[in-house]
Amino acid sequence: MFVKDLYAISPQSTFDLTFEGGEVLEIVADRYLANEPNYLEFIPAGQLRRMGKAVRMGIGAGLPLIQRNEPLDGIIIGSANGGLEDCIKFLNQIVDYEEGVLTPTNFVQSTPNALAGQLAILSNNSGYNCTHTNGSLAFENALIDTKLQLIDRAKTTNFLVGAVEEISEYNYNIDTHAGRYKGIATSNISLLESKTAGTICGEGATTFILSNNATDAFAEIVDVTLITCPTKEELTEMIHVFLQENNLNTEDIDTIVLGNNGDGRLDHWYNEVVSPLFPIAQTLHYKQFVGDYRTASAFGL
């Protein structure tokens, strides 16, 4: 899979390349909200007014790529929750209106596949359209789906692939009570140095144009693998097997990108298990820029 183009809406100024130029915003908050562009530049006001935040961010990240690249053969999105805030609004309406006449807008915007569907409608795309909702593995499953779609294609094939997540008040409160988040204002600059329990919730949308044609590509995704709830021994073995399958060993790796999130209960997986396997590799982190959410790995990529 060759990366032809990419775009992100995140708590940083990624939509105008300010972040890529080296300017990092310091955010001190109990949640890191997306720094959104002026959507009216490419989304009609009438449509924008009816869009939930997740769909709005996803359209804002996907439409610029569609407009500046070749016609797409499909759209594949990963999202753990979709537009959950609109889903809660719709469920509350059912109670408030006693199952009477309900506005369909919140329901339509809340389904996880709303983003992929609206991107297809806005771009007149009738190709493959799929949304993966596999929790924290949603984006990785979208990548594997894309890889399968691109295998053995004789002609050039291009897919829009991405992930989107919004901070839902409802979900945020549940996860905070469950101990997932710190619940106090924390600077993103010092987030990874934290040893306390919990992380900081973030949100955003990241999209890519992935192709089986290497022309004008600036990166290649060679392989993807998943593992769920491993022991330390299983994780170590998986990393070695994954490298061997690609004719590599740990000494061949120049850089590793890790998902440390400032949760003192979890970062040991990276610090004590993964990092020691690559003693000469440069280590990069990304969640201090955007916070932690279930498809944050799309921003990491």
Side-chain angles (χ1 to χ4, degrees):
M1 295 184 288
F2 296 95
V3 181
K4 293 294 193 74
D5 204 352
L6 72 164
Y7 196 101
I9 293 174
S10 74
Q12 298 293 323
S13 294
T14 45
F15 61 85
D16 61 0
L17 302 184
T18 302
F19 174 78
E20 285 80 349
E23 184 175 319
V24 176
L25 298 177
E26 180 176 9
I27 309 168
V28 182
D30 62 351
R31 64 193 86 179
Y32 300 156
L33 300 175
N35 183 10
E36 300 179 81
N38 179 13
Y39 296 111
L40 290 173
E41 294 179 359
F42 44 86
I43 303 176
Q47 291 178 314
L48 182 62
R49 190 166 54 248
R50 293 190 296 272
M51 289 181 180
K53 189 172 187 179
V55 173
R56 188 171 71 233
M57 290 191 298
I59 297 292
L63 207 54
L65 295 189
I66 293 174
Q67 292 172 344
R68 69 192 188 204
N69 286 279
E70 297 177 6
L72 299 174
D73 297 283
I75 298 171
I76 303 176
I77 301 295
S79 181
N81 296 313
L84 192 59
E85 195 68 31
D86 279 344
C87 181
I88 299 302
K89 289 179 183 177
F90 182 75
L91 294 175
N92 286 335
Q93 283 182 1
I94 294 176
V95 177
D96 294 340
Y97 299 156
E98 298 180 347
E99 301 184 23
V101 179
L102 307 176
T103 171
T105 303
N106 286 332
F107 172 74
V108 172
Q109 295 289 328
S110 70
T111 57
N113 64 346
L115 170 58
Q118 290 204 31
L119 282 169
I121 292 171
L122 288 170
S123 60
N124 295 316
N125 185 284
S126 59
Y128 182 80
N129 194 286
C130 188
T131 299
H132 293 267
T133 57
N134 313 87
S136 297
L137 296 179
F139 176 65
E140 286 76 9
N141 277 281
L143 285 179
I144 291 175
D145 189 1
T146 306
K147 182 180 179 180
L148 293 173
Q149 294 293 328
L150 295 177
I151 288 176
D152 295 330
R153 296 261 185 152
K155 66 181 184 70
T156 297
T157 305
N158 300 299
F159 276 82
L160 178 76
V161 184
V164 62
E165 226 68 66
E166 69 175 8
I167 297 177
S168 157
E169 196 69 33
Y170 182 83
N171 228 30
Y172 176 79
N173 290 336
I174 290 176
D175 285 341
T176 300
H177 285 300
R180 184 181 180 94
Y181 303 124
K182 296 183 186 298
I184 58 173
T186 304
S187 169
N188 64 313
I189 302 299
S190 59
L191 176 63
L192 299 190
E193 300 169 7
S194 172
K195 304 299 181 185
T196 59
T199 182
I200 300 295
C201 185
E203 63 180 3
T206 307
T207 52
F208 305 86
I209 297 293
L210 300 183
S211 175
N212 59 356
N213 187 336
T215 305
D216 296 327
F218 57 85
E220 181 183 5
I221 301 172
V222 176
D223 204 354
V224 182
T225 192
L226 309 177
I227 191 169
T228 304
C229 303
T231 64
K232 292 182 178 181
E233 292 73 22
E234 289 170 338
L235 179 59
T236 300
E237 181 182 5
M238 186 214 73
I239 292 172
H240 284 299
V241 170
F242 183 66
L243 292 173
Q244 289 169 6
E245 289 175 347
N246 288 280
N247 300 313
L248 297 167
N249 56 52
T250 55
E251 288 75 25
D252 296 322
I253 303 303
D254 303 295
T255 305
I256 55 173
V257 183
L258 300 180
N260 298 60
N261 65 2
D263 188 332
R265 303 165 302 180
L266 301 175
D267 279 351
H268 67 89
W269 282 94
Y270 302 102
N271 301 331
E272 299 173 10
V273 181
V274 181
S275 292
L277 294 177
F278 304 93
I280 63 174
Q282 180 184 18
T283 300
L284 302 179
H285 307 95
Y286 60 93
K287 288 182 179 177
Q288 74 272 29
F289 301 120
V290 299
D292 198 5
Y293 51 96
R294 285 173 172 81
T295 53
S297 56
F299 183 85
L301 177 62

